[in-house]
Amino acid sequence: MNLFLVTSPFQYICAVEAKAHYKTKENILLLVEQSSELGLSQQEKVVHKSEWDHVITIPRKNRTRNLPKAIKKIRLITQKRNIERFFHAEYNGWRTKLLLKNLPINKEVYFDDGTLTINEYEEEIRTKTIYSRKRFFNDLLLRLQGVEPIGELPQSENLELFTIFDIEKPEHLIVKNTLVELKKKVGVTKLFDPNAPVGFIGEGAIGHKRRKTHEVYVEEVKNFAFNHPQGIIYFPHRTESQETREAIKAIPSLTYHHSEYPLEIELVEKKIQLSMLIGALSTAQYTASLIYDNMPIYTIKNSIDMLPEKIKKRCQRIEVAFAKHGILTISK
């Protein structure tokens, strides 16, 4: 019996890879619904519930009430049997820790939710930081539902990583995710055309606290489009706001592409040819470099001066990891 916690379309792709790699049998998918319209659309396209023995779907909101219900359903399925492996992509996520606290799990396997792996390993996993969560009212509500609050939880003794990234000098078992199942799906597709437009991957969390403002981001995209008159195909992040969307759509020589699938699959499904793929430390750049032959892939150098030092350091870690993989940074 294995449990997979999935909260995004990309996580689902990695979960499918893990299920195949570990040859797991009798699998429970705990699926957290997407909150945005684009996220829901991609989830419906990517998730195939028939491939799982059990599927439990929960809303993203009101976690204190909805996750305990899921835990009870998991207990009914397992019938007091231990869960062999618990797969998830949010090491320090509240859902992850509550499941670890309340279910008998033999091994914890952390897989990717994008470039978060690179920073989470250095800041939380390598340091073996003890997770602490104490909220009087919420903890009381959990107890009333038959669930034990997290309190303080040390790192699992049997923790390993299933990742596409190269972790330098790891202190845990690392199992490489080579995206075998995704490669089977996309097949051998030639998407590089030197005369085609440039693919631009939109950023997430624009306008959020301690991140780029809407105005700064839109200006960066405008400048990039101005310097690439052959045209831009812009692929928005699934969390992009309406304000940012409308401003980006107004940029001349830019085509705003509404993706039905995660980008790694979208390019193949729609047979979108590109002269190069550009992003700002996006996971899709890294995965594209693993599955698309001959496609030039770069990271655009943009301003991080306004970001807090901790966020700057995270960006720099990712940039170094990308450069080692051959994804170099270019100016606008």
Side-chain angles (χ1 to χ4, degrees):
M1 180 70 68
N2 301 277
L3 174 62
F4 292 76
L5 171 63
V6 170
T7 69
S8 75
F10 181 74
Q11 285 184 25
Y12 184 81
I13 290 172
C14 292
V16 170
E17 297 287 346
K19 186 157 72 81
H21 179 88
Y22 286 87
K23 297 180 173 59
T24 60
K25 295 179 180 178
E26 198 171 357
N27 300 294
I28 304 170
L29 173 63
L30 177 54
L31 181 65
V32 180
E33 292 179 336
Q34 293 295 295
S35 54
S36 70
E37 186 178 333
L38 179 56
L40 280 168
S41 174
Q42 289 190 1
Q43 180 177 289
E44 289 174 6
K45 294 280 186 180
V46 172
V47 176
H48 302 291
K49 294 182 179 180
S50 61
E51 296 176 353
W52 301 83
D53 300 290
H54 310 276
V55 179
I56 300 170
T57 303
I58 59 173
R60 189 167 290 269
K61 296 180 179 179
N62 205 347
R63 301 181 306 174
T64 307
R65 291 188 181 276
N66 289 314
L67 192 57
K69 293 177 184 177
I71 290 171
K72 289 176 183 178
K73 290 178 181 178
I74 294 167
R75 286 170 176 167
L76 284 174
I77 293 168
T78 58
Q79 292 293 304
K80 297 185 179 180
R81 288 177 292 167
N82 278 21
I83 292 169
E84 184 180 352
R85 293 184 184 90
F86 169 39
F87 297 87
H88 65 84
E90 297 177 345
Y91 176 77
N92 251 1
W94 180 83
R95 295 184 191 90
T96 300
K97 299 302 185 185
L98 195 68
L99 290 164
L100 283 166
K101 185 78 172 185
N102 285 275
L103 296 170
I105 293 166
N106 294 339
K107 181 173 286 189
E108 179 185 355
V109 183
Y110 171 64
F111 59 76
D112 299 316
D113 183 22
T115 54
L116 176 66
T117 302
I118 295 168
N119 285 306
E120 202 150 50
Y121 190 82
E122 299 303 328
E123 294 175 4
E124 304 293 341
I125 300 175
R126 191 189 293 277
T127 58
K128 298 184 178 180
T129 304
I130 295 175
Y131 183 90
S132 179
R133 172 84 176 196
K134 297 175 183 178
R135 303 285 190 276
F136 177 78
F137 178 75
N138 287 353
D139 290 353
L140 177 61
L141 187 58
L142 289 172
R143 288 192 178 94
L144 291 173
Q145 295 173 93
V147 172
E148 187 178 351
I150 300 167
E152 292 190 344
L153 194 65
Q155 186 176 100
S156 299
E157 292 182 7
N158 294 319
L159 171 66
E160 65 184 58
L161 278 73
F162 180 67
T163 178
I164 61 176
F165 299 107
D166 296 320
I167 304 295
E168 198 167 318
K169 297 179 182 178
E171 297 179 15
H172 300 76
L173 176 62
I174 305 292
V175 179
K176 202 64 186 289
N177 177 8
T178 56
L179 299 175
V180 172
E181 299 303 308
L182 182 58
K183 288 175 182 177
K184 287 179 187 176
K185 183 175 180 64
V186 301
V188 180
T189 305
K190 295 183 179 179
L191 298 176
F192 171 63
D193 178 350
N195 300 312
V198 175
F200 190 104
I201 304 169
E203 294 182 52
I206 298 302
H208 290 202
K209 188 178 179 181
R210 298 189 296 275
R211 302 306 294 264
K212 286 181 189 174
T213 65
H214 161 81
E215 292 77 14
V216 166
Y217 177 67
V218 172
E219 193 61 31
E220 286 181 350
V221 179
K222 278 183 182 178
N223 289 338
F224 186 84
F226 178 79
N227 291 322
H228 293 82
Q230 72 268 44
I232 304 294
I233 300 178
Y234 178 87
F235 302 99
H237 192 274
R238 70 180 188 280
T239 61
E240 189 167 272
S241 70
Q242 184 174 351
E243 179 188 17
T244 301
R245 183 187 311 131
E246 295 307 317
I248 297 293
K249 282 182 176 181
I251 297 173
S253 75
L254 181 145
T255 300
Y256 193 97
H257 182 88
H258 293 276
S259 298
E260 294 183 59
Y261 300 88
L263 185 59
E264 298 84 349
I265 300 173
E266 180 77 7
L267 294 179
V268 175
E269 288 288 333
K270 304 297 173 60
K271 297 181 174 59
I272 300 171
Q273 292 190 315
L274 302 170
S275 57
M276 70 175 73
L277 186 62
I278 299 288
L281 306 177
S282 164
T283 307
Q285 295 166 253
Y286 200 94
T287 53
S289 72
L290 296 174
I291 59 180
Y292 301 133
D293 291 335
N294 303 319
M295 175 72 73
I297 301 172
Y298 300 100
T299 287
I300 185 172
K301 185 175 182 61
N302 54 34
S303 175
I304 61 171
D305 294 340
M306 78 291 294
L307 301 177
E309 285 302 316
K310 187 174 183 179
I311 304 297
K312 284 184 188 177
K313 190 170 184 179
R314 288 175 178 173
C315 291
Q316 289 162 356
R317 276 200 202 105
I318 297 169
E319 190 170 354
V320 168
F322 276 35
K324 288 181 178 178
H325 190 65
I327 303 172
L328 303 179
T329 300
I330 62 171
S331 63
K332 300 178 182 66

